[in-house]
Amino acid sequence: AAAMAAERGLVMATCTAPVNIAVIKYWGKRDTDLILPINSSLSVTLHQDQLKTTTTAAASRDFTEDRLWLNGKEADVGHPRVQACLREVRRLARKRRGGGEDTAALSLSYKIHIASENNFPTAAGLASSAAGYACLVSALARLYGLEEELSEVARRGSGSACRSMFGGFVQWQRGERPDGTDSLALQVAPETHWPELRVLVLVVSGEKKPVGSTVGMQTSVETSPLLKHRAEVVVPKRLAQMMQHIQERDFEGFGQLAMRDSNQFHATCLDTFPPIFYLTDLSRQIIALAHRYNAHHGHTKVAYTFDAGPNAVIFALADTVAEFVEVVRRSFPPATNGDQFVRGLPVGSATLSQELVAAVVTEPVPGAVQYILHTKPGPGPQLVDDPSQHLLGADGLPRSRA
Ligand code: DP6
């Protein structure tokens, strides 16, 4: 089928890519065009069974213009960051062909169509740009037959996207060179490294975030002395510590440092002038709940982290999940969707002791948490082999969605 399609001058490739959550945060660029960060960062790639982007890229001599569809709706293919990714992939493909023995007759001058969709509601405010750009670059790379490591290209779409090019535990090295050729993502450990690690996403709001990360971090770079100190002094030490905690599967150390780094990121937001607020009253209630829960148990059982939005991401080991989910259910009783309150990986049932409830559950806030998504670390971008999964039809247009 692919060969027939190629004869008609239509070639198509579909990939999926994951979301990632940083435990040492990226915040601030030293070059806004190339997207070069002021500090290195480290993240956990989340499993695509729960959260993923799927992207189909197609090229044909019959296409008259480049086109893009996001979640079924046509979007602006001229977006500078989409264009940067396209340009870089095409440049690499051209370089490769210049090198000689090219066979695959996909012309670089063909226009392309791209369709992308998420398996989670975009409105849920779950970081979708990282998965989106990682997926775009992966699908384009397949289309043009590129096999090299492309985190440097994904970085041009969104900084955090370069970390979604790998599974497991991933470091984005800030690099030193002005041209960005050493600002790359590297896998620190694969997703199989820490089999007991679990992730709970507490989806608290469908509202759009007040200030986007791109604008927010630039204001922070310009005005926050704390951010400068963080990038120069704090992060280098923390990065080394975090790598060691991961190598040793030391949840106490990992969790403590993840919480501290999230808190410091939000402190730099408050130190920005005018200040930026991503944490809400509910975020603070979740933070306090996690600390009460850990204090009750006498060690770090759960660790929170928050990005540029109000959703909470909780790390825990598998044997803690059922109990903590019950604590969240008691603290934020679901308003309506009681049966759909927990989604994703199965969660066992737990009975809370009276001591635990008395110590940890204070004043319940009904309906504040919409739902909990239970997931775990997962692999990097994947090729989708099954042609029935392409998001574009043989005519190069989005297939009607079920
Ligand atoms: C708070 O990668 O979305 O999630 O590079 O401007 O696209 P741009 O920003 P983006 O910023 C992510 C910031 C963060 C922390 C992190 O993921 O490391």
Side-chain angles (χ1 to χ4, degrees), residues 157-216:
S158 187
S160 54
C162 73
R163 298 186 313 236
S164 277
M165 296 299 278
F166 293 98
F169 302 81
V170 184
Q171 189 196 154
W172 173 14
Q173 284 192 333
R174 79 184 281 285
E176 299 299 330
R177 294 185 208 133
D179 68 358
T181 49
D182 58 351
S183 191
L184 308 165
L186 303 167
Q187 189 180 63
V188 170
E191 61 277 16
T192 51
H193 169 71
W194 201 344
E196 304 81 22
L197 191 64
R198 294 292 180 273
V199 178
L200 298 168
V201 184
L202 274 49
V203 177
V204 304
S205 165
E207 288 166 49
K208 272 207 97 174
K209 58 190 173 192
V211 183
S213 358
T214 305
V215 171

Side-chain angles (χ1 to χ4, degrees), residues 22 26-27 29 35 81 158-160 163 213-214 217 265 307:
Y26 149 54
W27 194 252
K29 296 178 184 70
I35 310 196
R81 289 176 169 204
S158 187
S160 54
R163 298 186 313 236
S213 358
T214 305
M217 71 174 74
F265 154 52
D307 282 343

